[in-house]
Amino acid sequence: MNQQHQEDLAHIRSMMERSSRFISLSGLSGVFAGLSALIGGMYVYQLFKANGLDYFTDEHRMYSANLVSELFWIGVLILACAFVFGIFFTIRKSRKYNLPIWTSATKKMLFNLAVPLFVGGVFCLALIYHGYFGLVAPSTLLFYGLALINAEKYTFSDVKYLGFCELCLGLISLFFIGYGLLFWILGFGILHILYGLIMFKKYK
């Protein structure tokens, strides 16, 4: 009888977990988002070289309006790729395990994720508008880290560890202005891939 009660309690806990948290998030979405960031980062580095900027030796870089515009749209493209991969692998996982996608937990998670990201996006646009390009990369890492920590209570708790890592990188990069691309690749590329692989192995 005790065993039956334990099984019932485990089933109830599982149902409560599914109803209160968004658990269709796939580790593979993190891996492919990281790969997108790595490819984008390498392209930006080559773009600097094509414009006569040596990223590792030029202390004072001058960015033309065309270069800033191209960098902006590269960032938008990387974000779009990460978003598409996230949707694809989420739907794939939900169908595989017969999990609902659009639940109250999903809405709460997206809202808590979106608010810091929206504020951070406007803040970064203001930095670009006023010409403070060196602060854009640290700011994206900081606001992204805050967004992950804010959304953690409605999805896997592991997300907060990625958020804290992004925050730490963002804070460190504030003291190395001009090398934001390296920190950006570490945060959105390497960390995403490592996190995605850990999540995929843990929750596959």
Side-chain angles (χ1 to χ4, degrees):
M1 197 69 176
N2 282 338
Q3 183 177 357
Q4 181 64 40
H5 285 164
Q6 290 176 356
E7 290 178 356
D8 290 342
L9 287 172
H11 181 66
I12 292 171
R13 281 196 296 267
S14 176
M15 289 179 63
M16 292 177 64
E17 178 78 9
R18 288 173 180 238
S19 64
S20 63
R21 288 179 179 267
F22 177 67
I23 58 176
S24 295
L25 195 63
S26 172
L28 289 177
S29 61
V31 173
F32 279 85
L35 289 174
S36 300
L38 283 181
I39 294 171
M42 289 186 288
Y43 178 80
V44 168
Y45 176 71
Q46 293 301 321
L47 187 63
F48 282 149
K49 290 181 67 175
N51 282 268
L53 299 172
D54 192 328
Y55 183 79
F56 293 102
T57 59
D58 288 348
E59 294 184 2
H60 304 287
R61 305 184 189 93
M62 297 298 293
Y63 299 97
S64 66
N66 288 336
L67 180 59
V68 171
S69 177
E70 191 166 357
L71 291 174
F72 172 79
W73 288 112
I74 291 170
V76 171
L77 180 60
I78 293 171
L79 179 63
C81 287
F83 185 70
V84 169
F85 283 128
I87 293 175
F88 173 77
F89 286 110
T90 295
I91 294 174
R92 182 170 173 262
K93 181 180 178 181
S94 65
R95 287 178 177 174
K96 181 178 179 180
Y97 295 102
N98 196 27
L99 296 170
I101 298 178
W102 196 247
T103 64
S104 60
T106 308
K107 297 174 186 177
K108 292 175 182 177
M109 189 272 292
L110 289 175
F111 178 78
N112 280 268
L113 189 70
V115 171
L117 289 180
F118 176 77
V119 174
V122 174
F123 183 77
C124 289
L125 286 175
L127 290 176
I128 294 171
Y129 178 79
H130 292 292
Y132 297 112
F133 305 121
L135 291 173
V136 173
S139 298
T140 57
L141 290 168
L142 289 170
F143 280 100
Y144 181 57
L146 291 173
L148 292 177
I149 295 169
N150 198 44
E152 171 265 335
K153 55 184 172 289
Y154 296 110
T155 185
F156 295 116
S157 59
D158 310 71
V159 169
K160 68 174 177 288
Y161 300 117
L162 177 61
F164 284 123
C165 289
E166 300 286 358
L167 274 182
C168 289
L169 271 180
L171 291 172
I172 294 170
S173 65
L174 286 172
F175 296 93
F176 296 92
I177 299 298
Y179 293 95
L181 179 61
L182 290 178
F183 287 95
W184 202 87
I185 289 173
L186 282 173
F188 291 104
I190 304 298
L191 278 182
H192 260 149
I193 293 173
L194 291 175
Y195 168 78
L197 290 174
I198 292 171
M199 288 286 287
F200 179 73
K201 184 177 181 181
K202 185 175 181 179
Y203 297 106
K204 66 179 179 179

